[in-house]
Amino acid sequence: MFTTALSLLAFVPLAFGAIIDVQVGAEGKLLYEPEAVFAQPGDQVVFHFHPKNHTVTESSFADPCGRKEGGHQSGFQPVAADHSGALPTYTIDVTNTDPVWVYCAQAARTPNSHCGAGMVFAINCGPDGAPNSFTNFKSSALEVGNRLKAEASATAAPAPSTTAAYGDLTIPAEPTPELVTRTITLEAATWTTVYSSYPGSPAATPASEEGRVHKVIVGGDKGLVFDPPSIQALPRDQIVFEFHQKNHTVTQSSFDDPCRPFNVAGNPGFDSGFLPSDGTSFPTFTFNVTDTAPVWAYCRQRNPSSHCGAGMVFAVNANDDSPRSFAAFQQVAQTLNGTSVSSTADTNAGQGSGAIGIGASTGQMVFTALSMGLVLAAWL
Ligand SMILES: *[C@@H]1O[C@H](CO)[C@@H](O)[C@H](O)[C@H]1NC(C)=O
Ligand SMILES: *[C@@H]1O[C@H](CO)[C@@H](O)[C@H](O)[C@H]1NC(C)=O
Ligand SMILES: *[C@@H]1O[C@H](CO)[C@@H](O)[C@H](O)[C@H]1NC(C)=O
Ligand SMILES: *[C@@H]1O[C@H](CO)[C@@H](O)[C@H](O)[C@H]1NC(C)=O
């Protein structure tokens, strides 16, 4: 009799409880939607995991981003960006009206913590204005995030600046690269890319399978310039340099040595060679973009005076919010090789050719880092 009553109790609420659906990370947002629900014993809260890689992990009001021992835990639920069909789910059976506090454990205890970005959820929290309201819970999660970010920037070693190879100029430090492995799905193709990324770099996802074509006019009516002088481009894009009046080159260099050919570990950068135009036909040179790292280039014409020193430089994917912006690069060129500087020094002209020793166009794209780095935190 006693047993029957018990099983009846357990059974009735399940049979008649409500199902409350919660979307986890819909549209890439670091959010549970809705963020708070009220449920009766016997109700079920069903979490639907959208693309990326989230969890439903129980915490406590006092420690919003810390796992509660023995609490609810969905584990990581990775979902591909192109996932179709039913989403994975995790269900919490509500057994009483006590509050249940939940967070996403992705990137826990790091500056990219989803919880620290406010990805928290509650069942039966206190009403607005109460000490244990959802608003108070979420603000304390955001405080955790701010603290993690502050700690990370305090411990990050200040990057040392360097001195240019000549000209006694201080060069802002290169950002620390981070090697990222990422599977990219685009249209009908899927491939894995390994690349260096750096703060502020564009995502490594090509705009399309074929990439875009960017046209840059070299010289021409505007004088000693690349037009446009600085562009943002994605892997698989092509940059077509069209050479107008006079006699220019586009030659890869580096941020700290803008007016001499790139040569890192014996790896010559690209160099178009001199492409004089007669003003009626315009020779072209194409550079294929394979990475999101900044690429720096210049014109190596020095007759009758240094084009590079006059500011004829070019950049792909410069981070204009950093000390290594395009404007800063141009400034380095003008300072090192400008008219105030004797141009009788050596003629260390570039003889490199072809593309940088990286790249590929299909299937497995492996990008070797030549310089820079970035953080593609977005995938998490
Ligand atoms: C999901 O995230 C966890 C924790 O960061 C990680 O260990 C796991 O490899 C990720 N899974 C996928 C498929 O990205
Ligand atoms: C272009 O410039 C280079 C280097 O100054 C020079 O060697 C070459 O003869 C020039 N070509 C023409 C057609 O002016
Ligand atoms: C650049 O890409 C185009 C189109 O994919 C290809 O035809 C060309 O050979 C590539 N050039 C280099 C230097 O890799
Ligand atoms: C810039 O100056 C350096 C040092 O004098 C020199 O080696 C280099 O050829 C110059 N480059 C240009 C394009 O003027």
Side-chain angles (χ1 to χ4, degrees):
M1 185 60 202
F2 183 61
T3 354
T4 314
L6 254 192
S7 30
L8 206 70
L9 268 181
F11 175 75
V12 169
L14 274 182
F16 297 104
I19 290 183
I20 303 170
D21 291 302
V22 177
Q23 308 304 321
V24 183
E27 293 160 19
K29 290 178 287 188
L30 300 186
L31 277 184
Y32 299 91
E33 292 171 302
E35 291 185 294
V37 301
F38 295 91
Q40 297 299 320
D43 291 352
Q44 292 186 307
V45 180
V46 180
F47 296 89
H48 302 262
F49 292 89
H50 289 255
K52 291 192 181 171
N53 185 358
H54 301 294
T55 76
V56 163
T57 305
E58 186 172 353
S59 65
S60 57
F61 183 82
D63 184 10
C65 301
R67 185 174 171 195
K68 178 180 169 182
E69 193 86 17
H72 297 283
Q73 167 66 294
S74 68
F76 287 99
Q77 302 285 334
V79 177
D82 61 347
H83 179 89
S84 57
L87 296 167
T89 61
Y90 176 73
T91 300
I92 293 183
D93 292 320
V94 178
T95 54
N96 55 47
T97 55
D98 294 343
V100 176
W101 309 101
V102 161
Y103 71 108
C104 175
Q106 185 56 268
R109 290 179 294 280
T110 76
N112 297 325
S113 159
H114 285 194
C115 181
M119 190 165 184
V120 291
F121 170 83
I123 304 172
N124 297 334
C125 59
D128 270 347
N132 68 343
S133 67
F134 181 75
T135 308
N136 288 350
F137 178 60
K138 185 164 174 173
S139 1
S140 83
L142 290 167
E143 266 169 44
V144 170
N146 289 339
R147 183 166 45 73
L148 289 167
K149 286 193 189 103
E151 283 169 7
S153 59
T155 54
S161 43
T162 55
T163 304
Y166 58 96
D168 193 25
L169 184 69
T170 300
I171 304 287
E174 193 171 344
T176 308
E178 177 169 317
L179 207 58
V180 174
T181 303
R182 189 164 171 201
T183 300
I184 291 175
T185 301
L186 190 71
E187 292 158 30
T190 295
W191 69 93
T192 297
T193 131
V194 180
Y195 66 103
S196 280
S197 69
Y198 63 95
S201 73
T205 310
S208 66
E209 271 191 68
E210 304 76 37
R212 271 183 305 170
V213 176
H214 306 262
K215 184 163 147 184
V216 176
I217 305 292
V218 185
D221 295 344
K222 294 195 176 154
L224 300 185
V225 290
F226 293 91
D227 182 24
S230 177
I231 65 170
Q232 299 290 312
L234 296 169
R236 301 195 172 191
D237 286 1
Q238 285 187 290
I239 305 175
V240 177
F241 296 91
E242 194 176 282
F243 288 77
H244 285 229
Q245 287 84 332
K246 298 202 174 154
N247 180 4
H248 302 289
T249 76
V250 59
T251 305
Q252 189 177 1
S253 63
S254 56
F255 185 92
D256 52 354
D257 199 353
C259 300
R260 296 195 297 183
F262 182 88
N263 193 332
V264 170
N267 186 345
F270 63 81
D271 180 27
S272 66
F274 286 98
L275 291 173
S277 164
D278 56 13
T280 53
S281 65
F282 306 117
T284 61
F285 174 80
T286 299
F287 170 61
N288 291 348
V289 179
T290 56
D291 201 345
T292 56
V295 175
W296 312 100
Y298 71 112
C299 170
R300 60 182 171 84
Q301 183 60 273
R302 301 177 70 192
N303 181 20
S305 63
S306 171
H307 286 191
C308 186
M312 190 169 180
V313 292
F314 176 78
V316 186
N317 295 335
N319 178 359
D320 283 334
D321 295 327
S322 77
R324 292 164 73 100
S325 62
F326 172 76
F329 175 60
Q330 192 172 42
Q331 187 69 52
V332 174
Q334 288 166 333
T335 305
L336 294 183
N337 285 62
T339 47
S340 61
V341 177
S342 148
S343 58
T344 54
D346 73 305
T347 31
N348 184 6
Q351 56 296 85
S353 65
I356 344 187
I358 53 178
S361 45
T362 55
Q364 176 98 350
M365 270 178 122
V366 176
F367 301 142
T368 332
L370 286 173
S371 43
M372 70 314 89
L374 108 105
V375 184
L376 234 221
W379 176 240
L380 289 183

